[in-house]
Amino acid sequence: MVYYVLSLITSAGALILLIHVAGFENLSNAIKRISVPLLLLSMAVYGTSWVFRTMRLSMFVNRNGTSVQVRTLFKINISGFALNNFSPAKLGDAAAIGFLRMYGIQGGRAAAIIVQTRVLDLLSIVLMALCCIMLSLENSLPSWITKTMFICIIIIFLPYIVVWSQKIHNLPVKLRRFADRAERAPIRYIFTKAADIYQAYSDIAYDRSLFLVSLFYSVLIWLIEGISCFVIAQALGADLSMAVILLAVALANVGKGVPVTPGGIGVYESVMVAVLSLQGCPVETSLAIALCDHLTKKIFTVSIGIPATLNIVGFSISRLKQYLKTPLAAKNGSLE
């Protein structure tokens, strides 16, 4: 609870500081210039990324004879994203694993799938950022960007190093031996689950055709995210190239991946403002782009993801309305 409160304070503090630096009146004037049709177009463009997110998840889930409907996978996927907006600890990813288990996916395999999608996201972001750095930055590269790219590359290769060591030393077998020898049930459970996840992840990682196609989808996803932000920039009248916007989106999403604030609010905007300002974009315009981009994407995911979550767990908005209309005396203390 303390961690959550601190994350909210950090998020609010970052936004207040950004608004103070930009100037509230300057920011307000920048936002007033926005083209509403282009803003709606940006949200529509972002919505198409979910086609490829769902196709990618379907590739991982519907292997080896497993069959889960595409509609269900879309709900699971967007539910996880929506729930991540309310917690700095990425609990939405844990929920997505639980939802996959509800539809018959073994726990270790479900965890491996979510881990691999995040690895692919980061790999795609890094590839996009490196290409944009070569195209967009006229001055020398700031040290914080260099360090960020270096850390991301380490994170990307870490799971594959673990899988490679597993192939050599047969880690799942050793982990299960530790589990068999453990006297306490929680320790046995941890080692057994770790072995399951290792094995499931190695099965996914060694499938070259799966990796290449899923990476292609991942690159498309993040290009679409960047294009959506570019439309926002055009809606605000900003004179920025596509490469600069793609770089800003890539680095902002890297920052958002650090579990500091709920949904990366405050962090996303701070990183994007820093990158756009490097290219000479006024602070108030940079902040307006970051706020509008982040807000439109969150409106999309939350407005669809929360009802999808309620549907998955067997609850619906219509039943809530019916419950609220029911006289208090007729209620039994729970939703039926």
Side-chain angles (χ1 to χ4, degrees), residues 260-311:
V260 177
T261 63
I265 298 172
V267 176
Y268 184 90
E269 289 79 5
S270 299
V271 176
M272 183 167 285
V273 168
V275 176
L276 295 181
S277 297
L278 280 175
Q279 303 304 302
C281 184
V283 175
E284 63 272 14
T285 304
S286 301
L287 182 54
I289 293 171
L291 288 172
C292 292
D293 178 58
H294 210 187
L295 182 61
T296 54
K297 291 171 181 176
K298 287 194 177 299
I299 288 174
F300 184 94
T301 54
V302 171
S303 63
I304 298 177
I306 296 304
T309 303
L310 297 176
N311 183 262

Side-chain angles (χ1 to χ4, degrees), residues 3 11 47 50 65 78 102 104-105 111 153 157 174 176 206 210 232 247 286-287:
Y3 175 51
S11 178
W50 281 94
I78 201 166
M102 288 173 58
I105 308 301
I153 291 171
F157 281 101
K174 293 183 178 180
R176 290 190 175 93
Y206 280 115
L210 177 65
I232 291 282
L247 176 61
S286 301
L287 182 54

Side-chain angles (χ1 to χ4, degrees), residues 2-308:
V2 174
Y3 175 51
Y4 186 73
V5 172
L6 289 175
S7 69
L8 289 176
I9 294 174
T10 302
S11 178
L15 290 177
I16 291 171
L17 179 61
L18 286 171
I19 294 171
H20 174 73
V21 172
F24 180 80
E25 186 175 351
N26 293 334
L27 176 62
S28 177
N29 291 333
I31 293 176
K32 287 177 181 178
R33 296 196 304 266
I34 195 165
S35 167
V36 175
L38 286 179
L39 184 66
L40 295 176
L41 176 61
S42 170
M43 186 177 292
V45 170
Y46 172 70
T48 63
S49 70
W50 281 94
V51 174
F52 298 105
R53 289 187 190 277
T54 305
M55 291 172 66
R56 182 180 65 178
L57 183 60
S58 179
M59 287 183 59
F60 287 118
V61 172
N62 292 329
R63 307 172 65 235
N64 305 324
T66 306
S67 180
V68 180
Q69 293 182 352
V70 172
R71 181 181 177 184
T72 299
L73 293 175
F74 169 73
K75 290 191 293 184
I76 291 173
N77 211 357
I78 201 166
S79 294
F81 273 72
L83 293 174
N84 276 337
N85 288 318
F86 300 99
S87 169
K90 300 295 180 183
L91 295 181
D93 288 349
I97 294 171
F99 293 153
L100 287 173
R101 293 188 64 185
M102 288 173 58
Y103 287 91
I105 308 301
Q106 189 265 342
R109 184 180 166 199
I113 289 170
I114 298 301
V115 169
Q116 182 65 349
T117 58
R118 296 295 171 261
V119 170
L120 288 169
D121 282 337
L122 187 57
L123 176 57
S124 302
I125 287 172
V126 169
L127 290 174
M128 188 167 73
L130 291 175
C131 291
C132 293
I133 285 170
M134 293 185 290
L135 293 173
S136 63
L137 287 187
E138 299 177 358
N139 303 320
S140 59
L141 197 65
S143 61
W144 68 269
I145 293 182
T146 305
K147 292 176 182 178
T148 299
M149 291 294 99
F150 181 72
I151 293 171
C152 288
I153 291 171
I154 293 176
I155 295 173
I156 290 167
F157 281 101
L158 186 60
Y160 292 98
I161 292 173
V162 172
V163 169
W164 177 71
S165 64
Q166 168 190 312
K167 187 176 182 180
I168 296 176
H169 303 293
N170 207 358
L171 288 180
V173 173
K174 293 183 178 180
L175 288 171
R176 290 190 175 93
R177 286 176 182 171
F178 281 126
D180 293 337
R181 295 172 184 172
E183 296 181 357
R184 297 183 179 181
I187 296 177
R188 288 198 301 271
Y189 178 83
I190 291 172
F191 278 109
T192 300
K193 288 302 177 183
D196 291 341
I197 295 172
Y198 271 132
Q199 189 62 57
Y201 189 82
S202 64
D203 291 342
I204 292 174
Y206 280 115
D207 191 329
R208 293 183 181 179
S209 61
L210 177 65
F211 173 79
L212 291 174
V213 178
S214 59
L215 178 60
F216 173 73
Y217 284 147
S218 300
V219 171
L220 281 179
I221 289 166
W222 289 102
L223 280 175
I224 292 171
E225 288 239 5
I227 293 171
S228 174
C229 185
F230 180 75
V231 175
I232 291 282
Q234 296 301 303
L236 288 163
D239 184 19
L240 294 166
S241 68
M242 177 70 78
V244 169
I245 293 295
L246 290 176
L247 176 61
V249 169
L251 293 176
N253 275 282
V254 170
K256 192 171 71 170
V258 180
V260 177
T261 63
I265 298 172
V267 176
Y268 184 90
E269 289 79 5
S270 299
V271 176
M272 183 167 285
V273 168
V275 176
L276 295 181
S277 297
L278 280 175
Q279 303 304 302
C281 184
V283 175
E284 63 272 14
T285 304
S286 301
L287 182 54
I289 293 171
L291 288 172
C292 292
D293 178 58
H294 210 187
L295 182 61
T296 54
K297 291 171 181 176
K298 287 194 177 299
I299 288 174
F300 184 94
T301 54
V302 171
S303 63
I304 298 177
I306 296 304

